[in-house]
């Protein structure tokens, strides 16, 4: 009788690998279900929200811009060259579905989900599904996601992060063509993507355990693409400033910590907490439960070429590089600027808390409870969910009242408004109302406020003059004034 074959050292039987794969799938499913619970309970009404503010500036520009000119660095908003996430994104969706915001919200939710899934897969490869699951749950609790999910213009940030995560995954898997395409999309979506090759180098060397020379070779090979993009970008190669040097913002570190802790501008009245807690409770239960499942059943790193300290340091380098552009003088602070760096920061926190599952779950629960509380707090920051929800609701009411009263306007007409709600972008300059031009699909219309009314010149006889006044209750309702 022949002796049984001896298994080679360092190999594992297939039967032992199957349970690990099965539990990894369970952890991934639990995290995905928790994120879906958050979206379903806190953003179920997002498809009823309309465009607002900058959305109409882009929509108005695209009324007369052919496809080939979308990619040219001309007529840019604030000198930001973002043809993929702004011009092309709006162009393709409006051509396919018309001027309606619902498809924009659907794409935003899809980009958010893809970014979360990419982060989980990336971190699971070399830090294990336990750390990946906890880190994903922590990132999902961030209140700063709210503005991006309710405001169609948030596509600029979402496209950059989704493509950036795709770039890191492709570099890790040595898919160089896919990585180059993902990097190009990220660069054409937002300027902060320029740090991606450096983020990849730090991740490969410190998280994956790649030798430093190999990590630099694999990641910095994409720097010529970044250089070409910078040369084309009118605010970089053209010398135009992206930031206002006269603007003073709070300290960067303080702003980042307050934003990640979901306490920035938290000013709820006691009577509002009941409704906030009702909204927060499902996610505040689902996310900690998923985190506990990940820590209990998730896998640990298979190869210990780098210890936890090295992996955490690599993820902190990700955070530092992602937040480095925020040091530009005069940059207007927005809470969602922390999100790309928060992937690295919370990845390091997840590594630190891996051996204390109940403490980790408590942190996830606390952040999940504060998330809707912060987003329900009145704010004057354009980057907050409350600000964008208010602007969308008021803009929709003004549209319904104006178009309902005047279904059509003669070309070259002038429309004047009084007592408009603040911060909705109805009139963005003398004689210029982008919403008016988009609603009536007429770039000859002029919109302004009462204080700038002047009688027409003798030769200016085209169109008519119309006057609307908003109520004093800040509800957005308009009433026509007849002379």
């Amino acid at each position: 009788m022949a002796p049984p074959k001896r298994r080679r050292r360092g190999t594992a039987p297939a039967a032992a690998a199957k349970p690990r794969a099965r539990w990894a799938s369970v952890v991934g499913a639990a995290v995905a279900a928790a994120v879906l619970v958050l979206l379903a309970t806190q953003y179920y009404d997002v498809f009823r929200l309309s465009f607002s503010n900058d959305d109409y500036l882009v929509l108005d520009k695209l009324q007369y811009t052919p496809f080939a000119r979308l990619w040219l660095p001309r007529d840019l908003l604030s000198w930001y060259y973002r043809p993929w996430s702004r011009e092309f994104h709006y162009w393709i969706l409006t051509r396919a579905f018309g001027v309606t915001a619902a498809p924009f919200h659907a794409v935003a939710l899809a980009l958010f989900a893809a970014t979360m899934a990419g982060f989980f897969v990336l971190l699971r490869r070399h830090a294990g599904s336990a750390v990946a699951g906890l880190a994903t749950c922590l990132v999902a609790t961030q209140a700063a996601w709210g503005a991006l999910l309710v405001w169609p213009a948030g596509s600029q940030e979402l496209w950059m992060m989704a493509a950036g995560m795709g770039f890191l995954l492709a570099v890790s898997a040595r898919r160089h063509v896919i990585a180059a395409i993902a990097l190009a999309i990220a660069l054409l979506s937002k300027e902060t993507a320029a740090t991606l090759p450096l983020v990849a180098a730090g991740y490969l060397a410190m998280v994956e355990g790649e030798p430093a020379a190999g990590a630099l070779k694999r990641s910095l090979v994409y720097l010529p693409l970044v250089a070409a993009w910078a040369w084309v970008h009118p605010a970089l190669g053209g010398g135009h400033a992206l930031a206002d040097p006269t603007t003073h913002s709070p300290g960067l570190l303080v702003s980042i910590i307050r934003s990640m802790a979901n306490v920035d501008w938290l000013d709820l009245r006691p009577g509002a907490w009941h409704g906030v807690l009702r909204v927060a409770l499902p996610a505040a239960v689902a996310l900690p439960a998923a985190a506990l499942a990940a820590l209990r059943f998730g896998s640990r790193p298979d190869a210990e070429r780098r210890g936890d300290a090295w992996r955490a340091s690599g993820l902190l380098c990700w955070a530092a590089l992602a937040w480095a552009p925020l040091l530009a003088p005069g940059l207007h602070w927005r809470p969602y600027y922390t999100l790309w760096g928060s992937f690295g920061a919370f990845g390091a926190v997840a590594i630190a808390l891996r051996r204390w599952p109940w403490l980790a779950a408590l942190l996830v629960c606390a952040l999940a409870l504060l998330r809707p509380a912060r987003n329900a707090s009145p704010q004057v920051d354009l980057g907050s969910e409350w600000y964008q929800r208010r602007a969308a609701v008021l803009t929709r009411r003004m549209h319904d009242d104006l178009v309902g009263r005047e279904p059509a306007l003669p070309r070259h007409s002038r429309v004047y408004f009084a007592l408009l709600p603040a911060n909705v972008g109805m009139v963005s300059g003398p004689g210029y109302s982008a919403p008016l031009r988009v609603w009536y699909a007429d770039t000859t219309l002029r919109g302004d406020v009462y204080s700038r009314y002047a009688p027409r010149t003798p030769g200016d006889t085209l169109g008519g003059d119309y006057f609307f006044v908003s109520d004093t209750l800040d509800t957005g309702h308009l009433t026509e004034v007849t002379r």
Side-chain angles (χ1 to χ4, degrees), residues 269-318:
R269 297 183 302 274
W273 279 102
H274 175 73
V276 166
L277 291 176
R278 186 175 64 250
V279 172
L281 190 58
V285 172
L287 287 171
L292 282 175
L295 294 174
R296 172 64 178 85
F297 302 108
S299 62
R300 303 294 189 268
D302 292 330
E304 293 295 337
R305 296 178 62 183
R306 285 289 188 266
D308 284 348
W310 272 99
R311 292 191 180 92
S313 299
L315 291 168
L316 289 176
C317 285
W318 174 344

Side-chain angles (χ1 to χ4, degrees), residues 440-464:
Y440 290 96
D442 185 353
T443 58
T444 69
L445 298 179
R446 288 169 284 177
D448 215 327
V449 294
Y450 265 38
S451 60
R452 286 199 287 259
Y453 170 77
R456 288 176 177 262
T457 60
D460 187 5
T461 59
L462 297 177

Side-chain angles (χ1 to χ4, degrees), residues 99-120:
V99 185
T100 177
F104 287 80
H105 295 308
V107 173
L109 294 173
L111 289 172
F112 170 78
T115 304
M116 291 296 168
F119 180 59
F120 177 83

Side-chain angles (χ1 to χ4, degrees), residues 250-263:
L252 178 60
L253 182 60
V254 173
S255 298
I256 289 174
I257 293 174
R258 291 173 64 183
S259 294
M260 292 181 63
N262 294 344
V263 297

Side-chain angles (χ1 to χ4, degrees), residues 166-167 170-171 173-185 221-222 225:
F167 169 75
V171 171
R174 300 178 182 271
R175 302 296 181 90
H176 303 297
V177 175
I178 297 177
I181 295 173
L183 178 59
I185 292 175
V221 70
Y222 302 101
L225 181 59

Side-chain angles (χ1 to χ4, degrees), residues 274-364:
H274 175 73
V276 166
L277 291 176
R278 186 175 64 250
V279 172
L281 190 58
V285 172
L287 287 171
L292 282 175
L295 294 174
R296 172 64 178 85
F297 302 108
S299 62
R300 303 294 189 268
D302 292 330
E304 293 295 337
R305 296 178 62 183
R306 285 289 188 266
D308 284 348
W310 272 99
R311 292 191 180 92
S313 299
L315 291 168
L316 289 176
C317 285
W318 174 344
L321 289 167
W323 291 331
L326 304 182
L327 294 171
L331 189 69
H332 292 273
W333 173 258
R334 299 285 180 256
Y336 54 76
Y337 290 168
T338 65
L339 290 173
W340 182 237
S342 72
F343 285 99
F346 278 125
V349 170
I351 291 176
L353 294 180
R354 189 182 69 182
R355 294 176 177 82
W356 292 278
W358 288 104
L359 180 60
L362 182 62
L363 176 61
V364 174

